[in-house]
Amino acid sequence: MSSFSREIRSFLVVSQSDSIRAAAERLNISAPALSRQLQLLERSYDTKLLVRSAGGVALTAEGAALRDEALRWMAADAAFSKRLQQAGKKTDLRLRLGVMEGLVGTLIPRLTTRLEALYGDVELDLAVGTTGDIIAHAEALELDMIVAFNMPRLSRLVVVETQEYHLGAVFAPSLPLQGDGPLALATALKYPLCLPSSALSMHTRLLAEILSERINPRVRISSNSISALLTFLRQGAGLGFLTWPDVCADVEAGTLCFRPLANRRLTETLSISICRGNNLGDTTGVVVREISETLASLGR
């Protein structure tokens, strides 16, 4: 149903036609009936809107102003109607999501904003921990989806998307290592290190690369908590090795710096997985898309 009068709608058709007769044919009414509508509109605004001649019909200055204003009204009305329709389609969403600790501060706030725009009230039930911790939650049927690094292939999980991220050197701006280019691992190892413990999947491969440099590093702290490592790194306690999603919020805030490692193939594979028997139903594909696009928005 249109929010605008029949006369306004007819006037807009006339403004886009060569003659009253042509406009009447488009409106499927008689020319005299259309003329009466236009006369009623002119009386309503107490001004001349059209000039009729043997050559057709033309808008007066007032008619052109009304046409432009009416088009703006109709565009605003259409946009408002669309917003109402979208609001009417919103439904609450509860998402049980397993996620690595390093992604909580970067992925989750942005994902929540996107999901709330689609579904209104969103309840996120987060299971945060290492890959092993998250798998345990999935085996207990406590999760709908998982976003985690280096997930194994399990019968209860369907991996729908993967993305590789390089490990990079992470450090406070106070360390004299700032720059855009890759950083040699040997240079990074001159500083005290804040390293992931063996509980984290990156530990073994990272340690092998460090040992290949034949340098005895100074380890300031090792932890299975990305948050703990980030806390020490922000304080300038040393240098660490993490992925871009782990640190992008800190880099954007200026509290940490990130440089890729030169000539290294140290990568972490981030997976989006669906848990079989999840409670999402028809919303599964939409949630996967929103997670994927949110990760893409992080960059690198």
Side-chain angles (χ1 to χ4, degrees):
M1 182 180 68
S2 174
S3 303
F4 298 92
S5 70
R6 177 184 59 180
E7 290 77 19
I8 284 288
R9 287 182 278 118
S10 295
F11 169 74
L12 288 174
V13 173
V14 172
S15 73
Q16 299 165 354
S17 304
D18 296 328
S19 66
I20 296 292
R21 183 176 298 278
E25 289 176 355
R26 290 175 60 185
L27 291 166
N28 197 29
I29 61 175
S30 68
L34 177 56
S35 293
R36 287 193 294 272
Q37 290 182 23
L38 297 173
Q39 290 167 6
L40 180 62
L41 192 62
E42 288 179 325
R43 286 199 298 270
S44 174
Y45 284 103
D46 192 25
T47 189
K48 195 75 171 174
L49 300 174
L50 299 162
V51 176
R52 300 165 181 81
S53 67
V57 64
L59 298 179
T60 64
E62 293 79 7
L66 177 60
R67 175 201 59 198
D68 295 343
E69 195 64 33
L71 289 173
R72 283 193 289 270
W73 293 339
M74 295 185 78
D77 180 70
F80 180 64
S81 296
K82 184 177 181 180
R83 289 196 298 271
L84 287 179
Q85 291 171 2
Q86 291 174 339
K89 292 178 181 177
K90 287 182 179 178
T91 56
D92 292 345
L93 173 71
R94 181 171 186 261
L95 173 61
R96 302 175 303 165
L97 182 65
V99 63
M100 305 290 285
E101 183 188 22
L103 299 175
V104 172
T106 53
L107 170 67
I108 299 305
R110 303 182 195 204
L111 176 62
T112 302
T113 299
R114 294 178 68 105
L115 292 176
E116 286 177 343
L118 292 173
Y119 296 105
D121 289 334
V122 173
E123 178 187 347
L124 283 183
D125 185 353
L126 296 180
V128 180
T130 65
T131 301
D133 297 331
I134 293 171
I135 289 173
H137 285 288
E139 294 290 351
L141 307 181
E142 296 172 348
L143 298 177
D144 300 313
M145 285 188 183
I146 295 172
V147 183
F149 285 107
N150 305 316
M151 287 294 294
R153 299 285 177 172
L154 300 173
S155 60
R156 287 206 50 77
L157 302 179
V158 179
V159 177
V160 293
E161 188 170 320
T162 61
Q163 174 67 50
E164 282 198 347
Y165 291 94
H166 291 275
L167 285 178
V170 181
F171 49 90
S174 58
L175 294 186
L177 288 170
Q178 296 188 48
D180 296 326
L183 182 68
L185 181 58
T187 301
L189 295 180
K190 295 177 181 179
Y191 294 85
L193 301 181
C194 301
L195 296 178
S197 70
S198 58
L200 298 180
S201 58
M202 70 181 80
H203 170 83
T204 302
R205 287 173 294 115
L206 178 58
L207 185 60
E209 290 290 334
I210 291 174
L211 293 176
S212 71
E213 291 292 328
R214 301 184 182 279
I215 295 174
N216 187 23
R218 291 174 291 159
V219 179
R220 178 67 57 82
I221 179 178
S222 62
S223 175
N224 68 340
S225 168
I226 299 297
S227 294
L229 293 174
L230 289 173
T231 297
F232 276 83
L233 291 170
R234 293 185 195 109
Q235 295 171 354
L239 179 146
F241 302 98
L242 297 169
T243 66
W244 177 252
D246 293 322
V247 301
C248 63
D250 276 283
V251 174
E252 291 172 359
T255 53
L256 287 175
C257 301
F258 178 92
R259 288 183 64 181
L261 294 173
N263 303 318
R264 299 289 168 176
R265 290 295 301 171
L266 283 170
T267 61
E268 295 281 281
T269 301
L270 185 64
S271 303
I272 303 173
S273 303
I274 301 171
C275 300
R276 297 187 190 275
N278 66 73
N279 296 329
L280 295 176
D282 294 339
T283 64
T284 301
V286 176
V287 175
V288 169
R289 182 196 69 202
E290 293 303 314
I291 293 174
S292 176
E293 292 183 0
T294 304
L295 288 171
S297 73
L298 301 180
R300 298 272 179 145

